[in-house]
């Protein structure tokens, strides 16, 4: 068991991951488990069929309080925060003046004058500086609250039955993309019905010193260690699950060179809500039409596409894959990438340059996987 490099950040569960045999890697400045001994495929499939438990405590939190909290966040993000009610969460993005993406995030409406922003781990410092720099006299208080929370994600069809054993909160009453304040194993927590796997599930936010208690109790409640029990899952399974579900990942499908409209995120781009950073550029792009588009593809030859590899049509290099991987549940090799809009139709035959070998693929609808409801 090797210790993490001294300059890497550690979540409160770092030692717990090591005791479980987690293979630790550097991720966005954090020392995180990429997988456990059961392996990525088993973790992925168990999440689809039973339940998986993820440590996502490396995510960042920004607390926004004050009379102008909604107006301030509405000016910085693309979705319409004013539509939220207390106890509701929203997927949105911090945008540049060009309509590209600083980061994607969740906004939780704790109260009319209190919003909690949950941002990606590797972009937390950048996001925090961006948010602070756009504070222009609004009646708000900003606080980087990232060190005040652990965050656990329990995902999968049995997530509700497992977590219900540990709380008196009626989890059935929490609608998708809503949350409540409650207790889990007697610990004060935010219980949110959100996730990043395409499955039903919950994210639990609590004080960092309670992280191990929560982690162990959820594993116990989910019969960890049995053939059908909950599995702890690492970053690799989290990535393949979100790819199957067709969800964008910052640094891959979205970044400061990609607009929301190109990334199929027009549904979180509310041009009619009033002014926000990037609105003018996005309105212009919508009027003129996008020149490239995010597509999903299924590899039809033997081979696995990876991010950064070229996409070709009729022998001409036309785009780039942003993600690519075997899909453990679907048992296919899949990926996403950008191509010119006129070449983005479902059914279009493409090729991926896999280290000099042209591998056949076909554009297919997104998402690749959608759970039955």
């Amino acid at each position: 068991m090797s210790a993490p490099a001294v300059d890497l950040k550690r979540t409160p569960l770092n030692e717990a991951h090591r005791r479980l045999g987690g293979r630790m890697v550097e991720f966005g400045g954090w020392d995180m488990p990429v997988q456990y001994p059961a392996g990525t495929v088993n973790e992925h499939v168990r999440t689809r069929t039973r339940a998986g438990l993820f440590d996502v405590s490396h995510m960042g939190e920004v607390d926004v309080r004050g009379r102008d909290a909604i107006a301030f966040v509405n000016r910085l993000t693309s979705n319409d925060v004013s539509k939220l009610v207390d106890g509701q969460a929203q997927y949105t993005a911090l945008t540049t003046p060009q309509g590209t993406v600083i980061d994607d995030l969740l906004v939780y409406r704790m109260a009319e004058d209190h919003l909690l922003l949950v941002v990606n781990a590797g972009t937390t410092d950048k996001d925090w500086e961006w948010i602070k720099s756009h504070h222009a006299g609004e009646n708000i208080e900003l606080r980087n609250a990232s060190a005040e929370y652990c965050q656990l994600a329990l995902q999968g069809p049995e997530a509700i039955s497992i977590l219900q054993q540990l709380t008196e909160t009626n989890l059935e009453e929490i609608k998708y993309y809503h949350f409540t304040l409650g207790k889990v194993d007697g610990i004060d927590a935010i219980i949110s019905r959100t996730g990043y796997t395409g499955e039903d599930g919950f994210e639990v936010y609590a004080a960092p010193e309670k992280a191990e208690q929560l982690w162990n109790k959820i594993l116990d409640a989910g019969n960890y260690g049995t053939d059908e029990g909950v599995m702890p899952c690492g970053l690799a399974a989290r990535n393949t699950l979100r790819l199957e579900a067709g969800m964008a990942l910052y640094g891959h499908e979205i970044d400061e060179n990609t607009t929301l409209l190109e990334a199929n995120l027009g549904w979180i781009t509310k041009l009619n809500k009033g002014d926000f950073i990037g609105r003018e550029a996005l309105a212009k792009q919508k009027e003129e039409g996008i020149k490239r588009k995010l597509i999903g593809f299924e590899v039809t030859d033997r081979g696995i596409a990876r991010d950064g590899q070229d996409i070709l049509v009729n022998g001409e290099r036309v785009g780039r894959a942003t993600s690519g991987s075997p899909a453990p549940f679907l048992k296919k090799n899949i990926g996403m990438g950008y191509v010119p809009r006129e070449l983005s139709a479902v059914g279009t035959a493409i090729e991926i340059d896999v280290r000099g070998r042209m591998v056949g693929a076909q554009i297919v609808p997104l998402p690749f996987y959608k759970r039955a409801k």
Side-chain angles (χ1 to χ4, degrees):
M1 182 183 300
S2 61
V6 292
D7 56 344
L8 292 181
K9 300 174 188 173
R10 308 175 197 182
T11 76
L13 292 166
N14 189 278
E15 290 302 320
H17 298 316
R18 290 168 179 276
R19 285 196 297 273
L20 289 172
R23 184 158 71 83
M24 309 301 285
V25 299
E26 188 277 336
F27 176 77
W30 290 81
D31 186 53
M32 296 294 294
V34 66
Q35 66 175 51
Y36 295 87
T40 299
V41 170
N42 287 325
E43 294 168 18
H44 179 118
V45 173
R46 188 63 60 90
T47 302
R48 287 271 181 260
T49 57
R50 301 286 183 176
L53 180 62
F54 302 77
D55 175 16
V56 283
S57 302
H58 56 318
M59 304 284 280
E61 287 84 12
V62 176
D63 201 65
V64 186
R65 294 175 187 257
R67 187 183 63 199
D68 298 333
I70 290 174
F72 175 71
V73 176
N74 232 8
R75 185 165 63 81
L76 265 63
T77 61
S78 61
N79 211 334
D80 190 351
V81 182
S82 71
K83 298 296 185 184
L84 292 174
V85 298
D86 291 356
Q88 189 174 11
Q90 181 183 75
Y91 179 66
T92 186
L94 291 169
T95 40
T96 70
Q98 293 75 39
T100 61
V101 182
I102 298 285
D103 195 12
D104 60 339
L105 67 152
L106 291 180
V107 175
Y108 290 80
R109 174 165 158 154
M110 313 300 290
E112 185 177 7
D113 58 353
H114 183 193
L115 300 173
L116 183 67
L117 316 184
V118 180
V119 303
N120 280 304
T123 56
T124 298
D125 292 342
K126 179 186 72 169
D127 294 351
W128 172 237
E129 293 302 321
W130 177 265
I131 292 167
K132 280 195 304 180
S133 72
H134 287 83
H135 182 193
E138 291 93 345
N139 187 352
I140 55 168
E141 293 181 4
L142 296 173
R143 192 175 82 257
N144 185 343
S146 301
E148 299 172 20
Y149 294 96
C150 71
Q151 184 184 349
L152 276 57
L154 179 63
Q155 297 280 295
E158 294 187 357
I160 190 167
S161 62
I162 293 170
L163 194 63
Q164 192 64 76
Q165 299 173 53
L166 301 173
T167 180
E168 294 181 357
T169 298
N170 186 341
L171 299 177
E172 290 281 7
E173 292 182 349
I174 303 176
K175 298 176 184 174
Y176 190 50
Y177 265 74
H178 285 70
F179 66 94
T180 190
L181 304 183
K183 289 184 182 295
V184 178
D185 196 43
I187 297 167
D188 291 330
I190 301 170
I191 308 169
S192 170
R193 199 165 193 168
T194 52
Y196 192 55
T197 63
E199 296 301 325
D200 189 16
F202 297 87
E203 293 183 313
V204 179
Y205 300 77
E209 58 271 23
K210 301 296 184 182
E212 277 216 39
Q213 179 183 338
L214 280 173
W215 178 265
N216 292 331
K217 287 290 185 177
I218 293 172
L219 289 179
D220 289 345
N223 297 316
Y224 167 63
T226 66
D227 289 343
E228 298 182 347
V230 63
M231 274 188 182
C233 300
L235 295 172
R238 181 170 162 85
N239 184 52
T240 54
L241 286 158
R242 72 89 196 168
L243 177 57
E244 276 190 345
M247 295 179 177
L249 174 63
Y250 185 84
H252 290 252
E253 283 70 43
I254 50 176
D255 58 27
E256 293 179 37
N257 296 308
T258 308
T259 75
L260 291 173
L261 300 181
E262 293 169 337
N264 300 329
L265 292 173
W267 63 280
I268 64 165
T269 307
K270 302 301 169 61
L271 298 174
N272 294 327
K273 73 170 183 175
D275 196 26
F276 64 92
I277 296 172
R279 181 193 175 282
E280 186 176 346
L282 289 163
K284 183 172 185 288
Q285 187 177 52
K286 184 175 183 180
E287 181 180 347
E288 295 176 348
I290 56 174
K291 292 183 172 54
R292 62 174 188 156
K293 186 176 187 301
L294 182 67
I295 52 98
F297 62 82
E298 182 179 320
V299 176
T300 52
D301 286 343
R302 290 177 60 86
I304 301 171
R306 300 294 187 189
D307 62 284
Q309 294 174 336
D310 287 342
I311 298 174
L312 297 85
V313 174
N314 297 324
E316 181 182 356
R317 295 178 191 275
V318 298
R320 181 177 59 84
T322 51
S323 293
S325 169
F329 187 74
L330 299 176
K331 301 186 187 309
K332 301 174 180 177
N333 293 327
I334 60 174
M336 293 195 282
Y338 283 95
V339 299
R341 183 182 60 174
E342 62 271 20
L343 299 175
S344 64
V346 169
T348 301
I350 63 176
E351 289 181 311
I352 312 295
D353 183 348
V354 179
R355 295 188 294 275
R357 185 169 66 90
M358 300 304 124
V359 173
Q362 185 179 50
I363 296 176
V364 298
L366 288 171
F368 305 99
Y369 167 84
K370 194 170 186 178
R371 71 182 169 91
K373 295 183 181 177

